[in-house]
Amino acid sequence: MKNSWIEVDTAGLSANIRALREAVRPETAVIFVVKSDAYGHGITPIAKHAASEGVRWFGVAHPFEAEAIRAQLPDVNILIMGVIRPEVAPVVAEQRFTPIIVSAEHGRAVAQVATAAGHTVQAHLKVDTGMGRIGVGWPEAVETFRALQGVEGLKVTGVCSHFATVEPKQPERAETQVERFLAASREMESIHGGPLFKHISSSRAILYHPEWDLDAVRPGICLYGYGATDQEMRFHTKPFLQWKCSVMQVKSVPAGTSIGYYGTHVTDAPTRMAVLSAGYADGYHRALSNRGHVIIRGRRCRVIGRVSMNWITVDVGPDSGIEAGDEAVLIGRQGSESVWAGELAKICRTIPYEMLVSIDRGADRKYQRSQSS
Ligand SMILES: Cc1ncc(COP(=O)(O)O)c(C=O)c1O
């Protein structure tokens, strides 16, 4: 038994997928981004469950993630959104993955290795329209597409891009990216002599801009239940991953007790403190020292002292009745209290993505359908 564990409510994932599916036109494919172990939720069970809800496309960063999905789901489409090394081209073709191509040289190198192994890779051209990261720069995109036409071993069947920022109050930057993308795509389609599979929107764009859905959308964080709560958004989702550990020891301490490394907390009144079975080695960020909250017996308890490698210390109050063996919720809900990754991320000056992917991949995982959903 591990010291911390994750509970995933698959009914919550179903509800999120349905909310998105109802908002997006049926012709638009949903490419569910399940990279980085499905944002810490567990790639295989999440992809299998999403497939049972009708998701036919998955987005990953690396070929090993694509292989994990393919082993379970022989018929789905898998977009590899990272830059593949040419030597993996035969596996990519055999397993029917869809990689992105990021330059003419990259495309030719992938094609050459694929051809030598008797394969053809079907790929999407990634256009950097302003993100400043992966992809062929938008001014060269059309020429790159043209150069890759007729190259043996490679068929470019789609074109995609990624937003740097989607801010409804300052839409100009995203609009510029869309204009560049659509202008380049139009030219590519005329070279190609027919439609290409076009996609650009991840969660924030999907939530605010139906006009940018195109042939597919690539939701990640919103399907995990984060960032999709504002009134004006097209649909709303809720988190469904809980992270828990155990109360290891509870003890009474008098006023003036120094707690943990460097004594950064000193009790100002007699209370009871609890030691929990997780720490920063498990992904509970050290920046939560003296600032985070956990829930035990439905009660919010403040983290006191430094979070250490394997332990968290919390103030449970003088008469809560909390005792060793109780469950402590690090992320999740108990009774009327909740602590979600967004709250912890704010304290740590980061984003829920990082909180979620930081959770120990080795933590035990339970997948179950909640009765209430
Ligand atoms: C290329 C690409 N598309 C889509 C996504 C999903 O983004 P989000 O989780 O914000 O929806 C990501 C995530 O980083 C990405 O890198």
Side-chain angles (χ1 to χ4, degrees), residues 1-6 243-246 248 277-278 282 360-366:
M1 172 107 185
K2 289 281 172 53
N3 46 305
S4 81
W5 66 96
I6 287 166
W243 182 27
K244 299 180 177 177
C245 67
S246 302
M248 307 297 287
S277 64
D282 303 282
D360 175 21
R361 299 273 164 93
D364 280 339
R365 290 153 191 264
K366 299 176 190 166

CSV table of all heavy atoms in Angstrom, one decimal, residues 1-6 243-246 248 277-278 282 360-366:
chain,number,residue,atom,x,y,z
A,1,MET,N,0.8,-1.2,0.0
A,1,MET,CA,0.0,0.0,0.0
A,1,MET,C,0.9,1.2,0.0
A,1,MET,O,1.8,1.4,0.8
A,1,MET,CB,-0.9,0.0,1.2
A,1,MET,CG,-1.7,1.2,1.5
A,1,MET,SD,-3.4,1.0,1.1
A,1,MET,CE,-4.0,2.7,1.3
A,2,LYS,N,0.6,2.1,-0.9
A,2,LYS,CA,1.4,3.3,-1.0
A,2,LYS,C,1.0,4.4,0.0
A,2,LYS,O,-0.1,4.3,0.6
A,2,LYS,CB,1.2,3.9,-2.4
A,2,LYS,CG,1.9,3.1,-3.5
A,2,LYS,CD,3.4,3.4,-3.5
A,2,LYS,CE,4.2,2.5,-4.4
A,2,LYS,NZ,3.7,2.4,-5.8
A,3,ASN,N,1.9,5.3,0.2
A,3,ASN,CA,1.6,6.3,1.2
A,3,ASN,C,0.5,7.4,0.8
A,3,ASN,O,-0.1,8.1,1.6
A,3,ASN,CB,2.8,7.0,1.7
A,3,ASN,CG,3.7,7.4,0.5
A,3,ASN,OD1,4.0,6.6,-0.3
A,3,ASN,ND2,4.0,8.7,0.4
A,4,SER,N,0.4,7.6,-0.6
A,4,SER,CA,-0.7,8.4,-1.0
A,4,SER,C,-1.3,7.8,-2.2
A,4,SER,O,-0.7,6.9,-2.8
A,4,SER,CB,-0.1,9.8,-1.4
A,4,SER,OG,0.5,9.9,-2.7
A,5,TRP,N,-2.5,8.1,-2.5
A,5,TRP,CA,-3.2,7.5,-3.6
A,5,TRP,C,-4.2,8.5,-4.3
A,5,TRP,O,-4.5,9.5,-3.7
A,5,TRP,CB,-4.0,6.3,-3.1
A,5,TRP,CG,-5.1,6.5,-2.1
A,5,TRP,CD1,-6.4,6.7,-2.4
A,5,TRP,CD2,-5.0,6.7,-0.7
A,5,TRP,NE1,-7.2,6.9,-1.3
A,5,TRP,CE2,-6.3,6.9,-0.2
A,5,TRP,CE3,-3.9,6.7,0.2
A,5,TRP,CZ2,-6.6,7.2,1.1
A,5,TRP,CZ3,-4.2,6.9,1.5
A,5,TRP,CH2,-5.5,7.1,2.0
A,6,ILE,N,-4.6,8.1,-5.5
A,6,ILE,CA,-5.4,8.9,-6.3
A,6,ILE,C,-6.7,8.2,-6.5
A,6,ILE,O,-6.7,7.0,-6.8
A,6,ILE,CB,-4.7,9.2,-7.7
A,6,ILE,CG1,-3.5,10.1,-7.5
A,6,ILE,CG2,-5.7,9.7,-8.7
A,6,ILE,CD1,-2.6,10.1,-8.7
A,243,TRP,N,-6.7,13.4,-4.6
A,243,TRP,CA,-5.5,12.9,-4.1
A,243,TRP,C,-5.5,12.8,-2.6
A,243,TRP,O,-5.8,13.8,-2.0
A,243,TRP,CB,-4.3,13.8,-4.6
A,243,TRP,CG,-3.0,13.4,-4.3
A,243,TRP,CD1,-2.5,12.1,-4.1
A,243,TRP,CD2,-1.8,14.2,-4.2
A,243,TRP,NE1,-1.1,12.1,-3.8
A,243,TRP,CE2,-0.7,13.4,-3.9
A,243,TRP,CE3,-1.6,15.6,-4.3
A,243,TRP,CZ2,0.6,13.9,-3.7
A,243,TRP,CZ3,-0.4,16.1,-4.1
A,243,TRP,CH2,0.7,15.3,-3.8
A,244,LYS,N,-5.2,11.7,-2.0
A,244,LYS,CA,-5.4,11.5,-0.6
A,244,LYS,C,-4.2,10.8,0.0
A,244,LYS,O,-3.4,10.1,-0.6
A,244,LYS,CB,-6.6,10.6,-0.4
A,244,LYS,CG,-7.9,11.2,-0.9
A,244,LYS,CD,-9.1,10.3,-0.6
A,244,LYS,CE,-10.4,11.0,-1.1
A,244,LYS,NZ,-11.5,10.1,-1.0
A,245,CYS,N,-4.0,11.0,1.3
A,245,CYS,CA,-3.0,10.2,2.1
A,245,CYS,C,-3.6,10.0,3.5
A,245,CYS,O,-4.8,10.2,3.7
A,245,CYS,CB,-1.7,11.0,2.1
A,245,CYS,SG,-1.8,12.5,3.1
A,246,SER,N,-2.7,9.5,4.4
A,246,SER,CA,-3.2,9.1,5.7
A,246,SER,C,-2.7,9.9,6.8
A,246,SER,O,-1.5,10.4,6.7
A,246,SER,CB,-2.8,7.6,6.0
A,246,SER,OG,-3.3,6.8,5.0
A,248,MET,N,-0.8,9.9,10.1
A,248,MET,CA,0.1,9.0,10.7
A,248,MET,C,0.1,9.1,12.2
A,248,MET,O,0.3,8.1,12.9
A,248,MET,CB,1.5,9.2,10.1
A,248,MET,CG,1.6,9.2,8.6
A,248,MET,SD,1.1,7.6,7.9
A,248,MET,CE,2.5,6.6,8.3
A,277,SER,N,1.0,11.4,5.6
A,277,SER,CA,1.9,10.5,4.9
A,277,SER,C,2.3,10.9,3.5
A,277,SER,O,2.4,10.0,2.6
A,277,SER,CB,1.3,9.1,4.9
A,277,SER,OG,0.1,9.1,4.1
A,278,ALA,N,2.5,12.1,3.3
A,278,ALA,CA,3.0,12.6,1.9
A,278,ALA,C,3.8,13.8,2.1
A,278,ALA,O,3.7,14.5,3.2
A,278,ALA,CB,1.8,12.9,1.0
A,282,ASP,N,6.3,13.3,-2.9
A,282,ASP,CA,5.1,12.8,-3.6
A,282,ASP,C,4.5,13.8,-4.5
A,282,ASP,O,3.4,13.5,-5.1
A,282,ASP,CB,4.1,12.4,-2.5
A,282,ASP,CG,4.7,11.3,-1.5
A,282,ASP,OD1,4.8,10.2,-1.9
A,282,ASP,OD2,5.2,11.7,-0.4
A,360,ASP,N,2.9,12.2,-7.6
A,360,ASP,CA,3.7,11.0,-7.7
A,360,ASP,C,3.1,10.0,-8.7
A,360,ASP,O,1.9,9.5,-8.4
A,360,ASP,CB,3.9,10.3,-6.4
A,360,ASP,CG,4.6,9.0,-6.4
A,360,ASP,OD1,5.3,8.7,-7.4
A,360,ASP,OD2,4.5,8.2,-5.4
A,361,ARG,N,3.7,9.7,-9.8
A,361,ARG,CA,3.2,8.7,-10.8
A,361,ARG,C,3.0,7.3,-10.2
A,361,ARG,O,2.3,6.5,-10.7
A,361,ARG,CB,4.1,8.6,-12.0
A,361,ARG,CG,4.2,9.9,-12.8
A,361,ARG,CD,3.1,10.1,-13.8
A,361,ARG,NE,3.1,11.5,-14.2
A,361,ARG,CZ,3.8,12.0,-15.3
A,361,ARG,NH1,4.5,11.1,-16.1
A,361,ARG,NH2,3.8,13.2,-15.6
A,362,GLY,N,3.8,7.1,-9.1
A,362,GLY,CA,3.7,5.7,-8.5
A,362,GLY,C,2.6,5.6,-7.4
A,362,GLY,O,2.4,4.6,-6.9
A,363,ALA,N,1.9,6.7,-7.2
A,363,ALA,CA,0.8,6.6,-6.2
A,363,ALA,C,-0.2,5.6,-6.7
A,363,ALA,O,-0.5,5.5,-7.9
A,363,ALA,CB,0.1,8.0,-6.1
A,364,ASP,N,-0.8,4.9,-5.7
A,364,ASP,CA,-1.9,3.9,-6.1
A,364,ASP,C,-3.0,4.7,-6.7
A,364,ASP,O,-3.3,5.9,-6.4
A,364,ASP,CB,-2.4,3.2,-4.8
A,364,ASP,CG,-1.5,2.1,-4.4
A,364,ASP,OD1,-0.7,1.6,-5.3
A,364,ASP,OD2,-1.5,1.7,-3.2
A,365,ARG,N,-3.7,4.0,-7.6
A,365,ARG,CA,-4.8,4.7,-8.3
A,365,ARG,C,-6.1,3.9,-8.3
A,365,ARG,O,-6.0,2.7,-8.5
A,365,ARG,CB,-4.5,4.9,-9.8
A,365,ARG,CG,-3.4,5.9,-10.0
A,365,ARG,CD,-2.7,5.6,-11.3
A,365,ARG,NE,-1.5,6.5,-11.4
A,365,ARG,CZ,-1.4,7.6,-12.0
A,365,ARG,NH1,-2.4,8.0,-12.7
A,365,ARG,NH2,-0.3,8.3,-12.0
A,366,LYS,N,-7.2,4.5,-8.0
A,366,LYS,CA,-8.4,3.8,-8.0
A,366,LYS,C,-9.4,4.5,-9.0
A,366,LYS,O,-9.5,5.7,-8.9
A,366,LYS,CB,-9.1,3.9,-6.6
A,366,LYS,CG,-8.3,3.2,-5.5
A,366,LYS,CD,-8.9,3.4,-4.1
A,366,LYS,CE,-8.0,3.0,-3.1
A,366,LYS,NZ,-8.4,3.4,-1.7
